[in-house]
Amino acid sequence: MGAEQATLVLIKPDGLKKSLTGNILTRLSETKLEIVAAKIAKVSKELATQHYVHLQDKPFFEELICYLMGELHSRRKVMAMVYWGEDAINKVRALAGATNPEEADPVSIRGAYGRITTKGVYENVIHASSNEQEAQREIQLWFGPDEIIVDLYPSKEIIAKEVKQRVWVK
Ligand code: DAT
Ligand code: MG
């Protein structure tokens, strides 16, 4: 039995465009893990670049950033979630399948729904964290502590002065 872990899952713009959200959530529910955070997020260039910072030197980096930002699918958004429970990282990675959708097990999410574009972009439908260190880095990049319903990592309260935020017009 593994320890309890958190892992970041993104339904990438191709997954949203292909209306796969329901299918993917159903597949992931096989794991019996808990969703402890979820949102639809706009992906800025900064966020996409930080998310894939370890791939900066790869020849496909620019295309990958455009893909995550939704520029290839005219949907500038992803669905971001944190799954939590025993052995969460490996359980979600196993269902996601291999990075290359052509090599992924055909019953995995990427194998069933992914494709490689003629430009060589792996449109592989979902992201799943690959280890605990990456999971922590990615979860802290995509979510603030108040957006997650369990205490995953140390946090602190601050009184922020002069924070610019958007509120509803009343
Ligand atoms: P994973 O998403 O399985 O963790 P990764 O972190 O190595 O894989 O790469 C991140 C993303 O970059 C991956 O989902 C798709 C893209 N990618 C990786 N290798 C690629 C390649 N050789 N050609 C095109 N895209 C690639
Ligand atoms: Mg990875």
Side-chain angles (χ1 to χ4, degrees):
M1 282 218 317
E4 265 160 358
Q5 294 176 327
T7 188
L8 180 79
V9 175
L10 301 177
I11 301 182
K12 294 178 175 180
D14 52 328
L16 295 180
K17 178 128 187 182
K18 292 172 174 171
S19 301
L20 293 172
T21 308
N23 301 44
I24 291 169
L25 295 182
T26 301
R27 291 300 308 278
L28 291 174
S29 70
E30 289 168 25
T31 62
K32 307 288 177 207
L33 297 167
E34 260 185 74
I35 299 172
V36 294
K39 65 181 173 188
I40 297 288
K42 269 194 215 167
V43 186
S44 66
K45 188 155 201 176
E46 292 73 16
L47 179 57
T49 303
Q50 279 307 310
H51 179 77
Y52 280 133
V53 70
H54 60 293
L55 297 172
Q56 266 183 116
D57 300 329
K58 301 285 185 195
F60 55 82
F61 186 69
E62 287 303 318
E63 284 292 334
L64 179 63
I65 295 309
C66 288
Y67 164 43
L68 192 63
M69 288 174 68
E71 291 188 350
L72 309 182
H73 298 89
S74 54
R75 306 229 158 172
R76 293 170 179 275
K77 62 186 179 187
V78 300
M79 184 164 176
M81 290 165 293
V82 177
Y83 277 78
W84 183 78
E86 202 182 289
D87 204 18
I89 292 171
N90 284 336
K91 281 181 180 160
V92 175
R93 290 283 295 189
L95 278 180
T99 304
N100 179 338
E102 304 281 305
E103 287 172 3
D105 184 331
V107 303
S108 68
I109 295 167
R110 287 167 164 180
Y113 302 124
R115 65 166 195 151
I116 303 180
T117 68
T118 46
K119 281 190 169 176
V121 180
Y122 291 4
E123 289 186 359
N124 56 10
V125 184
I126 71 166
H127 167 80
S129 306
S130 55
N131 58 56
E132 268 186 280
Q133 198 185 342
E134 274 293 280
Q136 176 168 355
R137 189 189 73 79
E138 293 170 0
I139 290 167
Q140 291 182 343
L141 179 65
W142 286 85
F143 290 95
D146 285 337
E147 294 180 298
I148 306 172
I149 60 143
V150 290
D151 285 330
L152 294 178
Y153 312 112
S155 63
K156 61 180 181 182
E157 285 187 321
I158 57 163
I159 296 175
K161 287 192 184 126
E162 296 199 35
V163 174
K164 189 168 149 192
Q165 65 177 140
R166 194 184 287 269
V167 297
W168 300 117
V169 174
K170 290 215 171 127

